[in-house]
Amino acid sequence: MTQPEPVLLSKTKNAVLTLSLNRPERLNAANDELLFALTEALKTAELDNAMRVVVITGSGRGFCAGQDLGDVQNREGSTNFTEHLRHTYIPLIQTIRGLKKPVITAVNGVAAGAGASLALSGDIRLWSEHAILIEVFSNIALIPDAGSTWMLPRLVGAARAFEMMAFAEKIGAEDGLKLGLCEQVYSAGTFVDDVQVYAERLAARPLNALALTKQAINFALGSTLDAALDNEAVLQQLAGDHAEHKEGVRAFAGKRKPDFGQF
Ligand code: T3D
């Protein structure tokens, strides 16, 4: 019997590419096949000029339940966690954070373990009212990986992050919004449409400038103020030299809406 595709691709005419994790019966728990397919789809999206924004979401009721524990149980002998992470989750998270296009994580349901890391890794995080984030790793006596120890303390502070990790606390949408784990929460019934509207709004923004903004934020998160100030000055040259900038200024002078979608 042929296996279903682990990641479904859907392109809309409004320049939004949606990647849906597709193991709904396992709450989209990640096996290697899914992780490689997602990373490859993101790399392909980088080269597709017709696609301006990427949405990552889950099929069925879950977003992603983290590493597939069935696969873990089937491992023989001792597991090389380090090598596994280096081959699977690390390239995935690096690809998302380095992508020169905005990535939205549209968290439709539970995001647990490395699935929580994936949910946090988006440039914009949109949650359904049914979304739940769990740093579930300690339930199986592992440490948070796939970037959770880097992302979560920066969002909620070290002590709160540790508490969430130590108790594998379930964070629902209301608390997620308060804690800054997501930017918007939408009703479950309209979630897909609301995400699409949001993504289209983002796709109409100046993408070169947004890619450079993402690059500047990534740099600033690991740098001093002096270094960040200088990096802004360098990247601003790239933004200012781009046709998008000229269109923005022309539109302002002409009292019209800029057409950034042409670039
Ligand atoms: O290997 C390495 O490189 C290390 C990397 C580690 C990264 C990690 O992500 S470690 C963390 C792994 N994930 C987990 O420990 C989460 C396990 N799942 C859960 O705790 C719960 O399922 C949830 C809290 C996520 C959701 O609970 P609930 O009650 O909504 O759903 P459920 O009934 O538990 O799950 C529904 C089905 O999905 C169920 O299958 P069944 O019984 O209907 O046939 C369940 O077994 C399956 N499922 C859920 N999570 C996983 C899974 N199957 C495989 N792997 C999973 N992670």
Side-chain angles (χ1 to χ4, degrees), residues 46-62:
E46 182 88 289
L47 305 174
D48 185 347
N49 290 337
M51 294 296 118
R52 292 169 64 85
V53 170
V54 181
V55 175
I56 300 174
T57 193
S59 308
R61 77 175 173 92

Side-chain angles (χ1 to χ4, degrees), residues 25-27 29 61 65-69 75 84 114 136-137 145:
E25 71 293 346
R26 291 273 163 268
L27 303 177
R61 77 175 173 92
Q67 175 62 35
D68 188 312
L69 295 179
R75 288 173 185 165
H84 186 245
V136 76
F137 305 86
D145 59 22

Side-chain angles (χ1 to χ4, degrees), residues 38-129:
L38 183 57
T39 306
E40 270 318 299
L42 287 158
K43 286 183 175 165
T44 305
E46 182 88 289
L47 305 174
D48 185 347
N49 290 337
M51 294 296 118
R52 292 169 64 85
V53 170
V54 181
V55 175
I56 300 174
T57 193
S59 308
R61 77 175 173 92
F63 174 72
C64 175
Q67 175 62 35
D68 188 312
L69 295 179
D71 277 11
V72 170
Q73 263 190 328
N74 292 334
R75 288 173 185 165
E76 283 174 14
S78 74
T79 300
N80 193 333
F81 288 99
T82 307
E83 277 310 303
H84 186 245
L85 287 165
R86 285 181 179 156
H87 278 97
T88 54
Y89 292 101
I90 292 177
L92 170 61
I93 300 299
Q94 286 174 331
T95 302
I96 292 171
R97 296 305 322 139
L99 206 78
K100 295 190 184 76
K101 297 180 182 187
V103 177
I104 295 174
T105 43
V107 183
N108 51 305
V110 68
S117 307
L118 178 62
L120 293 175
S121 72
D123 299 300
I124 299 281
R125 293 84 37 96
L126 305 178
W127 283 19
S128 146
E129 63 187 327

